[in-house]
Amino acid sequence: MKQETRKEEIIRVAAKLFKEKGYSAVTMRDLAKALGIKAASLYNHINSKQDILKTIIISVAEEFTYGMDKIINSEVSNISKLKSIVALHVNITANNTNGMASLNNDWMHLEDKLDYYMQLRDHYENNCIQIIKRGILASEIKECNPEIIMFSMLTTLRSLYLWMPKKEDFNTQDLVNNLTEVLIEGINK
Amino acid sequence: MKQETRKEEIIRVAAKLFKEKGYSAVTMRDLAKALGIKAASLYNHINSKQDILKTIIISVAEEFTYGMDKIINSEVSNISKLKSIVALHVNITANNTNGMASLNNDWMHLEDKLDYYMQLRDHYENNCIQIIKRGILASEIKECNPEIIMFSMLTTLRSLYLWMPKKEDFNTQDLVNNLTEVLIEGINK
DNA sequence: ACATTAAACTAACACTTGTTAGTTTGTTTG
DNA sequence: CAAACAAACTAACAAGTGTTAGTTTAATGT
C-alpha cells in the first residue's frame, strides 16, 4: 500500500467535509482545522480551493468514462452490460464515497472545468441509453420508455454514496446482486 | 388564483436560486438582484436567510408527511400503496420542483429545524419500509431485501426534480404510469 | 556539521458575507 | 388633506472569506 502524501490527505479530508456540508459551506479554515493546521499552511500543498474540487470530481468522472468505454466495447448482451454498469457504480462508490458526493452535488461549482465535466457526463449518458435502446430492439428488455429506465437506474446508482456507508454489513458483491435484482430483473423480458 | 405576496415571491425566487447553486453559494445580494431590489430591502419581508430555507424545506417535508399518513391508513393492497407513493412524489415535485432541490441538497443547513426535519424523514421512511415488508409477507412483492427496494424507489423519486423540468412532454399521469412500470412491476410477484 | 527541504507558522490583504438603522417614496385609507 | 403603511432606498457594521508574503521549525541527506 503506497503511503499517502500530504496533498492526497488534504484532498481526502476535503472530500469528506464537502460531503457533509457541500463545497460552498466548507471554508479553508474548516479544512485546516480538520487537519490540525492553519489555513495558510494548506497552500504549501494545494493551489486553491477550486483546485481541490476539480481534482476530486474530475478524477471520479474520468473513472466512470473509462469504465463505460470498456463496457460498451465488450461483446456481451445488453442486459449484461447494464449489470456491468451496476457493478461499476458500486465499485467506484465503495472506493470513493466522498468523491461521489461532490460529483453529485457540487459539479456546478467547477468553473473552468465545468464544460469538460458536462461533456463526460453527456458521453456517459449517451452510451447508457444506447445500451438500453439496443436491449429493447433485441427483445432483451421490456418495451418501456428508455429515458425513464435510464433515469431510474442512474439516479439510484448515483445516490449509492448516501447509503453504502450505513450498510457495511453488505459486501460489494452482495450489493451488486441485490441491486441487479431490483433494477434489472424488473425490466427483464 | 390567489395573488402572490412579495414574501412568497422572494421565497419562490430563492428556491430557484438555491436549486441552481445551493443554499450556501447564494448570497442575499444575488437574491435581491434576481428580484430587482437591494439586499437590505429583503428584510422588510423576511427575517433571515435561514428563515427562507426553513420555510422552503419544512413546507415540502410536511406535505410528504401528510401524504404518507393518508396512504398508510388507506384500505388497499401494499402494491397499491407503493403506487400511491409514486404519485405523491410526482405530484409534489410537479408543484414545487425547486423546493424539492433544497430538500434534497440543503437540509443539513437547517440548524434549529434540523432535528424536526430528520424526525419527519425517519417517520416517512419507516412507513415506507413497513409497506414493503408487509407486501413481502403478503406475497405481493418479491422476496428481496426491503431496504434495497426502498432505497432504489426513494432515491429515484427524490431525484425527480432533476429530471421533470426537462421532460415537459410528459403529463404527470403518464409519468406516474411509466415510473410505476419501471419501479413496481419489476418487484411484483 | 552543514545545506537543503518539507511543512508548519504569523500577520495581513482586499473583498464578501448577512444584517441593522434610519430614511425616502409612493400608494391607500380615514 | 392628512395619516398610515408598505416597500423601496443609502450607508454602514462586524465577522468571515480565500489567498499571499515572509518567517520559523524540524527532519533529511551529504
Side-chain angles (χ1 to χ4, degrees):
Chain A
M1 189 76 101
K2 187 174 151 283
Q3 176 66 23
E4 175 181 62
T5 67
R6 193 65 163 148
K7 179 173 179 176
E8 287 164 348
E9 188 187 2
I10 290 172
I11 290 170
R12 176 174 55 79
V13 173
K16 184 183 163 225
L17 296 187
F18 291 169
K19 181 192 173 189
E20 287 164 10
K21 314 201 309 177
Y23 172 74
S24 304
V26 175
T27 71
M28 295 304 273
R29 286 166 180 82
D30 290 338
L31 176 54
K33 195 167 222 171
L35 287 153
I37 59 176
K38 299 287 170 182
S41 308
L42 293 167
Y43 290 83
N44 287 315
H45 307 278
I46 52 99
N47 296 321
S48 66
K49 190 187 178 191
Q50 254 297 301
D51 225 53
I52 297 175
L53 186 70
K54 259 192 301 198
T55 305
I56 294 171
I57 293 183
I58 298 295
S59 72
V60 182
E62 286 177 342
E63 256 190 282
F64 275 109
T65 304
Y66 179 71
M68 175 60 93
D69 286 347
K70 273 208 312 208
I71 290 170
I72 201 142
N73 291 319
S74 62
E75 301 276 351
V76 295
S77 70
N78 294 290
I79 283 282
S80 293
K81 286 178 182 171
L82 290 186
K83 289 180 184 173
S84 297
I85 292 175
V86 173
L88 179 67
H89 278 260
V90 171
N91 288 327
I92 291 178
T93 306
N95 290 327
N96 196 351
T97 310
N98 300 328
M100 279 304 298
S102 295
L103 184 94
N104 271 288
N105 301 322
D106 287 316
W107 57 269
M108 71 285 275
H109 300 119
L110 276 175
E111 299 184 2
D112 43 300
K113 287 282 179 183
L114 181 58
D115 285 346
Y116 175 58
Y117 164 77
M118 294 187 75
Q119 193 185 311
L120 293 183
R121 195 181 58 178
D122 287 348
H123 180 71
Y124 189 85
E125 294 188 358
N126 286 338
N127 282 335
C128 190
I129 205 154
Q130 200 156 91
I131 294 172
I132 294 170
K133 282 179 178 170
R134 285 177 183 159
I136 295 174
L137 281 176
S139 294
E140 297 171 38
I141 297 175
K142 263 191 193 174
E143 287 282 351
C144 198
N145 187 299
E147 294 198 73
I148 293 199
I149 293 177
M150 176 173 83
F151 166 72
S152 174
M153 263 193 68
L154 288 190
T155 53
T156 299
L157 294 175
R158 282 175 178 152
S159 302
L160 278 170
Y161 77 94
L162 285 170
W163 193 73
M164 281 180 66
K166 299 185 206 160
K167 300 290 159 186
E168 294 184 353
D169 43 321
F170 276 109
N171 65 40
T172 58
Q173 192 52 56
D174 279 352
L175 188 55
V176 170
N177 292 340
N178 273 282
L179 277 170
T180 302
E181 180 75 20
V182 172
L183 293 175
I184 315 245
E185 297 306 319
I187 56 170
N188 228 337
K189 208 166 189 174
Chain B
M1 189 76 104
K2 188 174 150 283
Q3 176 66 24
E4 177 180 60
T5 68
R6 192 66 164 149
K7 178 173 181 176
E8 287 163 349
E9 187 186 2
I10 290 172
I11 290 169
R12 176 174 55 79
V13 173
K16 185 182 163 225
L17 297 186
F18 292 169
K19 182 193 173 189
E20 287 164 10
K21 315 202 308 177
Y23 172 74
S24 303
V26 175
T27 71
M28 296 303 272
R29 284 165 181 83
D30 290 338
L31 176 54
K33 194 168 222 172
L35 288 154
I37 59 175
K38 300 287 170 181
S41 308
L42 293 168
Y43 291 83
N44 286 316
H45 307 278
I46 53 98
N47 296 323
S48 65
K49 190 187 177 191
Q50 254 297 301
D51 224 53
I52 297 176
L53 186 70
K54 258 192 302 199
T55 306
I56 293 171
I57 293 184
I58 298 297
S59 72
V60 182
E62 288 178 341
E63 255 189 282
F64 275 109
T65 304
Y66 178 70
M68 176 60 93
D69 287 346
K70 272 209 311 207
I71 291 169
I72 202 140
N73 291 320
S74 62
E75 302 275 353
V76 295
S77 69
N78 293 291
I79 283 281
S80 292
K81 285 179 183 171
L82 290 185
K83 289 180 185 174
S84 297
I85 291 175
V86 172
L88 179 66
H89 277 261
V90 171
N91 289 327
I92 290 179
T93 306
N95 290 327
N96 196 353
T97 310
N98 300 326
M100 279 302 298
S102 294
L103 183 95
N104 271 287
N105 303 320
D106 288 314
W107 58 269
M108 72 284 276
H109 300 120
L110 275 176
E111 299 182 3
D112 43 300
K113 286 284 179 180
L114 180 59
D115 285 346
Y116 175 57
Y117 164 77
M118 294 187 73
Q119 194 184 311
L120 292 185
R121 195 181 58 179
D122 287 347
H123 180 70
Y124 189 84
E125 294 188 357
N126 286 338
N127 282 335
C128 190
I129 204 151
Q130 200 158 92
I131 294 172
I132 294 170
K133 284 179 177 168
R134 286 177 183 159
I136 295 173
L137 281 176
S139 294
E140 298 170 39
I141 296 176
K142 264 191 192 172
E143 285 282 351
C144 199
N145 187 299
E147 295 197 73
I148 293 199
I149 292 177
M150 178 174 80
F151 166 71
S152 174
M153 263 194 67
L154 287 190
T155 53
T156 299
L157 294 175
R158 281 174 178 154
S159 301
L160 278 169
Y161 76 94
L162 285 169
W163 193 72
M164 281 181 66
K166 300 184 202 163
K167 302 289 159 188
E168 294 183 352
D169 43 322
F170 277 108
N171 66 41
T172 58
Q173 192 51 57
D174 279 353
L175 189 55
V176 170
N177 292 339
N178 273 281
L179 277 170
T180 303
E181 179 74 21
V182 171
L183 294 175
I184 314 240
E185 297 306 320
I187 56 171
N188 227 337
K189 207 169 190 172

